[in-house]
Amino acid sequence: MADVQPAETEPEKQPRSVRVVLLALMITMMLAMLDNMIVGTAMPTIVGELGGLEHLSWVVTAYTLATAASTPIWGKIGDMYGRKGAFMSSIVIFLIGSMLSGMAQNMGELIGFRAVQGLGAGGLMVGVMAIIGDLIPPRERGKYQGMMAGVMALAMIGGPLVGGTITDNWGWRWSFYINLPLGIVSLALISAVLHLPRKRSQARIDYLGAVLLTVGITSVVLVTTWGGTEYAWTSARIMELIGIGVAALIGFVFWQTRAAEPIVPLHIFRSRNFTLMSLIGFIAGFVMFGATLFLPLYQQSVQGASATNSGLLLLPMLGAMLVTSMVAGRVTTNTGKYKVFPLVGSALMVVGLYLLSTMDTGTSRFTSGVFMAVVGLGMGCLMQITMLVAQNSVEMKDMGVASSSTTLFRTLGSSFGVAIMGALFNHRVQDVMAERAGALGSKLTEQSAQLDAASLAKLPEAAREAYQHAVSAGTHSAFLLGAVVAVGALVASVFVKEVPLKGAGPQKPGDDVSDADADAETAAEAGAKAAAAPVA
């Protein structure tokens, strides 16, 4: 019987098993994206029952740390020992963490169980993208990764709504338990219909590299999480973390040149396109998560929007991102061309962020919605194309580490974006409050530059007006910084090489395809054909 070769068939004619696997992957992606959104909405209720308000931030931080630190390790394990086993293991660990989190009796237990959940979550998105890389040839990949971006956008829109509904009607514990039936369905489908070549590497896992990378990533995330909030940026604790992080990452890079089976083989960065996509992904994460943090704050504080349906406040941006990602994937599939999307996406992102920086206390919701949509259009052109090009730039044996490295850079970008844009926002808000409201303004924002709706409603009219001007000034500075950073993505996009995707037709004379990238394309083609073949 002939092997299944998705590269040569239209999507409608793909084997039923491949379509079922893609459904399971979409469910898993939804799990990975929904979790933090749902839990964030349930946090006030959780604190009300378990107490431990002073440790509240660790419920999110523990999950984020574990996810970021385990991401590259899951990618490498999949490359060495087989994608299916690694992916299913990550789902099981995630579900165990979810179940234990739902059973937590105090804040300490919840934080620990969230870390377990995060360890599994680190392999979810990496597994989804790497399996798509195995099953779907590059020419078709853009469309399916565009679908995954659509799932991501839907999760960001619907997460807070789902979280609020679950918490109000079933209790906060179901914000964790809801993962179990979805995860079990995904596990069952993947176990039954996903067939990938079995692997068994004779090399040992690079434990020293894993430890150094984990220490380095943990330090970076803690610096960006604690800096300017828990501790001053110049405090001894932050300086210690910076020193530990830099030393660990330098040691990691040094060791990767000597390890027999490195966690992140440095040769993948020899591909210009892979390095550029890592940079663009970092910047996209920087901008996107900064925007999702400050836009609802601006709309609630300045435009008087309700916080109840906070996910809907981002609908113009996320809706535009969803549509554009689907269109970009479809066009890439039909033409085999992709360079236009990083260029156009980066340009739209710069323009959109600049427009957002012009918002003031008189900006209407419609106007701000249009500005958000421009940013969303840019993000939609970038989010999955970066993964597609990164995967197309490496050999099939490095598909996992390419997917995990790209995901990690985006995660680190989001950490830096929230930290740096947040620090700039807080500093600007405090300055404007001091200017407009004097000592009262300084007192109001000395603990936090972000006042909740209840605190805002209790302020005198003059103080409330001053705070609205302060938030406008803060968002101006944050989004202006975002626009400047996004210029880096635009510059990087200029240097991206249009390496033909498999199925794009014969190479034309004059096409600039490096030997490394051409070899990677050939390996990806062969791997895609083998990956879709049933394994006895």
Side-chain angles (χ1 to χ4, degrees), residues 468-516:
Q468 290 174 340
H469 282 282
V471 169
S472 294
T475 52
H476 165 77
S477 298
F479 288 127
L480 195 58
L481 171 66
V484 172
V485 172
V487 171
L490 181 58
V491 173
S493 299
V494 173
F495 295 97
V496 172
K497 293 187 297 182
E498 186 87 77
V499 179
L501 298 176
K502 177 56 187 171
Q507 181 183 344
K508 298 176 182 179
D511 280 348
D512 181 18
V513 183
S514 69
D515 291 340

Side-chain angles (χ1 to χ4, degrees), residues 29-370:
M29 175 72 82
M30 185 70 75
L31 280 177
M33 293 304 302
L34 269 180
D35 190 75
N36 261 341
M37 300 292 173
I38 292 177
V39 173
T41 308
M43 282 313 300
T45 307
I46 293 174
V47 172
E49 180 173 328
L50 298 184
L53 178 62
E54 66 276 14
H55 303 304
L56 174 65
S57 63
W58 272 104
V59 175
V60 175
T61 301
Y63 180 90
T64 304
L65 281 175
T67 301
S70 63
T71 292
I73 298 172
W74 280 116
K76 187 62 180 180
I77 289 174
D79 283 343
M80 292 176 65
Y81 300 110
R83 202 88 62 215
K84 180 176 178 178
F87 186 51
M88 292 181 68
S89 298
S90 69
I91 295 175
V92 170
I93 293 173
F94 179 82
L95 295 181
I96 291 173
S98 298
M99 181 180 67
L100 292 174
S101 295
M103 298 167 62
Q105 298 301 308
N106 56 61
M107 190 62 78
E109 289 183 3
L110 180 59
I111 291 169
F113 296 149
R114 283 283 282 168
V116 174
Q117 195 183 17
L119 287 175
L124 297 185
M125 192 169 299
V126 172
V128 168
M129 292 304 174
I131 289 172
I132 288 178
D134 278 346
L135 286 180
I136 310 296
R139 177 71 173 260
E140 296 287 335
R141 219 175 280 162
K143 178 173 53 181
Y144 291 105
Q145 290 181 345
M147 291 168 60
M148 295 300 168
V151 171
M152 186 185 303
L154 287 174
M156 296 181 74
I157 295 169
L161 298 176
V162 173
T165 301
I166 290 175
T167 303
D168 291 342
N169 294 283
W170 298 348
W172 67 265
R173 295 182 186 276
W174 276 97
S175 62
F176 296 105
Y177 292 151
I178 193 67
N179 293 329
L180 300 180
L182 293 174
I184 290 170
V185 169
S186 180
L187 272 176
L189 293 175
I190 290 168
S191 176
V193 299
L194 177 60
H195 302 289
L196 295 174
R198 292 191 180 97
K199 300 178 184 179
R200 182 64 189 178
S201 173
Q202 298 302 312
R204 296 182 61 188
I205 294 176
D206 178 15
Y207 292 106
L208 177 57
V211 170
L212 289 171
L213 183 60
T214 299
V215 171
I217 292 173
T218 299
S219 300
V220 168
V221 174
L222 286 178
V223 167
T224 56
T225 302
W226 284 349
T229 54
E230 298 288 328
Y231 302 95
W233 284 103
T234 55
S235 66
R237 178 61 57 85
I238 296 299
M239 292 297 107
E240 289 169 2
L241 285 171
I242 291 174
I244 292 171
V246 170
L249 292 176
I250 290 175
F252 172 76
V253 172
F254 175 79
W255 176 248
Q256 294 305 278
T257 62
R258 287 159 175 75
E261 194 66 50
I263 293 289
V264 180
L266 300 183
H267 65 78
I268 62 177
F269 292 97
R270 293 174 189 162
S271 167
R272 180 202 298 179
N273 275 5
F274 181 84
T275 302
L276 291 173
M277 288 303 115
S278 298
L279 174 60
I280 293 172
F282 179 92
I283 293 173
F286 186 106
V287 169
M288 180 177 178
F289 287 90
T292 55
L293 175 66
F294 296 112
L295 281 170
L297 178 63
Y298 169 83
Q299 292 191 311
Q300 292 170 37
S301 300
V302 179
Q303 296 181 328
S306 168
T308 304
N309 298 327
S310 56
L312 295 178
L313 300 174
L314 298 174
L315 188 57
M317 183 177 78
L318 297 176
M321 188 178 86
L322 186 156
V323 172
T324 314
S325 63
M326 300 288 281
V327 171
R330 177 69 66 174
V331 171
T332 301
T333 294
N334 291 340
T335 67
K337 303 292 185 180
Y338 54 78
K339 180 172 181 176
V340 64
F341 294 111
L343 281 169
V344 173
S346 300
L348 285 171
M349 202 161 60
V350 172
V351 172
L353 288 164
Y354 174 76
L355 291 174
L356 288 176
S357 75
T358 64
M359 296 188 304
D360 55 28
T361 55
T363 303
S364 68
R365 291 191 194 180
F366 175 80
T367 301
S368 60
V370 171

